[in-house]
Amino acid sequence: MAPGRPVKLLIRTCSFTVIITSVLVDILSGKATGRYAPVPKLNIINGTDVIISEDQDGFVYCYAGLDSSSRRAPYAVVWTNPYGRPVSPYHPRGNAKAAKIFAVRESFILPHAYLVFRGFDQDLAGVYTCNLLYSGRLLVRRTIHLRLFRPTFRVVPLPQCLAVPEGGTILLPSPVAGSPPKPPMWTRNDGDLDLSTSLQLNGGLLLQGVQEPGVYRAVVWLGGGLIHQQQVAVSVLQQDGGVADPSPPGPTCSQPDTQTPPDAYSSSSSSSSVAVANEVVADIQIHTYRRLVDEARRRAT
C-alpha cells in the first residue's frame, strides 16, 4: 500500500460519515426539505374506489400529510384525469358553471386539492390520480377509481286514467323501463284479467275489444321483498257520446287515448311514490354492486 493512502482513505470515510450524520440530524429535526426530506404521505379521504350514481354531484378530497416545518415548502397537490392530463382548475370568471369536472387546490397551511364533479356520467368515470409535487417534481401519487352506477331498471309513472272507444284496443304502458328482476304483474281490481282480450307484453298490458270500464293495477318487484303498485282507470267512450267510467268513481278521461298524451292525467302523488320507489331500487342495487366490486378487488389482491 502506498504511503499516505490510509490517511486519504480515513479522511474520505470521515467526510462521508459527517455528511450522513448531518443529513440524519436534519431529517430527525424536521429541517430537511427536497432531496433529503422524508416523502410526505398522500391521503384521499374517499378511499381508492368510489361508486357514484348517474347525474350525482360530489367531490373527492386529497391532502398531503406534512409537519409544520414543511408546510411553507413549495409543495403542490395536483389531480390528473384517466388520460394523465391535469384536471382543469376552477375559474370563477370562466366556464366553471359549464364544466362537469374541475379541480380546486390550495397550498396554504396544508397542500390539498378537491376533485369536483357535476352530473356524473360515463364520460367522467375512470381512474384519477392525486399527485404531490415538490418544486414541480413528482414525489408520490395516489389513485382513485370513480365508477358509474346505473340501476338495471327504474319505475316510471303511469297515467292516472286512459280512455278508449267502445270496442277499441288500448295499451296500458309498462310501469318499468329497463330490466327488472321479473316482469310486472297486471291485475284487474274487480276480478281476474280476461285472457281472451288482454295480453301482458314487455311494453305493457294490451286490452282488445274493450266494452266495459275498469281499474287495472300493475305490481313491480323492487328487490329485497319490496313491491310498488300503480293503477290505471280505463274509461270507455260510448258510441252515443257518453263516457262509462269505472266504479267506484275515479278520474274521468274525456278524450280517446289517441288524442290525449299518456302523461296528461298523471298525479303528483303517483309521481312522488315513483320517486321513492326508484330510490329504493338504487339503494338495493348499489349495495349489491359495492359488494361485487369489493369481492373483485380482494380477489385481485
Side-chain angles (χ1 to χ4, degrees):
M1 181 177 295
R5 185 166 183 178
V7 176
K8 292 182 180 179
L9 181 61
L10 179 60
I11 292 173
R12 291 176 181 175
T13 303
C14 291
S15 299
F16 181 74
T17 303
V18 170
I19 292 173
I20 294 299
T21 303
S22 177
V23 171
L24 289 175
V25 169
D26 286 344
I27 291 175
L28 293 175
S29 63
K31 296 179 180 179
T33 58
R35 181 177 177 182
Y36 299 117
V39 177
K41 292 184 178 180
L42 270 179
N43 303 279
I44 301 178
I45 64 170
N46 308 72
T48 59
D49 210 313
V50 178
I51 300 173
I52 306 169
S53 298
E54 190 172 24
D55 294 328
Q56 181 178 336
D57 299 340
F59 67 88
V60 177
Y61 178 66
C62 180
Y63 69 94
L66 299 173
D67 56 32
S68 58
S69 63
S70 302
R71 290 176 182 174
R72 294 189 177 183
Y75 289 100
V77 177
V78 178
W79 281 101
T80 51
N81 64 21
Y83 304 100
R85 294 190 288 270
V87 176
S88 300
Y90 173 75
H91 292 295
R93 296 185 179 181
N95 62 344
K97 292 184 178 181
K100 298 197 67 174
I101 191 165
F102 54 85
V104 179
R105 69 183 190 183
E106 180 60 69
S107 296
F108 180 70
I109 301 181
L110 181 68
H112 64 270
Y114 293 89
L115 180 67
V116 184
F117 51 85
R118 297 167 172 165
F120 196 81
D121 58 20
Q122 187 60 50
D123 293 338
L124 301 183
V127 177
Y128 290 79
T129 304
C130 178
N131 307 272
L132 178 63
L133 308 180
Y134 179 86
S135 295
R137 181 169 60 90
L138 177 65
L139 292 183
V140 64
R141 60 176 54 179
R142 290 283 305 277
T143 60
I144 184 169
H145 193 167
L146 304 186
R147 300 176 184 268
L148 173 67
F149 168 74
R150 287 193 187 104
T152 60
F153 73 96
R154 60 186 178 87
V155 181
V156 295
L158 294 180
Q160 193 175 6
C161 69
L162 293 172
V164 58
E166 187 176 7
T169 299
I170 188 173
L171 177 67
L172 309 187
S174 174
V176 295
S179 302
K182 52 179 159 178
M185 182 181 70
W186 287 90
T187 59
R188 181 168 170 147
N189 281 7
D190 57 354
D192 296 331
L193 291 175
D194 185 350
L195 299 182
S196 65
T197 58
S198 60
L199 181 62
Q200 299 193 47
L201 306 172
N202 291 334
L205 178 66
L206 182 66
L207 302 177
Q208 300 172 308
V210 179
Q211 300 291 337
E212 297 179 350
V215 177
Y216 297 83
R217 177 169 298 176
V219 177
V220 178
W221 283 266
L222 305 179
L226 302 175
I227 64 172
H228 180 263
Q229 300 183 56
Q230 294 185 74
Q231 63 181 28
V232 181
V234 176
S235 298
V236 175
L237 303 179
Q238 299 172 329
Q239 295 181 0
D240 59 5
V243 178
D245 293 317
S247 180
T252 60
C253 303
S254 59
Q255 297 294 328
D257 179 61
T258 56
Q259 299 179 19
T260 304
D263 59 350
Y265 301 99
S266 297
S267 66
S268 58
S269 59
S270 174
S271 298
S272 177
S273 68
V274 166
V276 172
N278 284 324
E279 290 176 1
V280 171
V281 171
D283 287 343
I284 292 173
Q285 293 196 10
I286 199 169
H287 285 302
T288 302
Y289 184 47
R290 284 197 182 103
R291 186 172 64 252
L292 294 175
V293 169
D294 290 341
E295 291 177 354
R297 187 166 57 247
R298 284 195 296 268
R299 287 196 297 267
T301 56

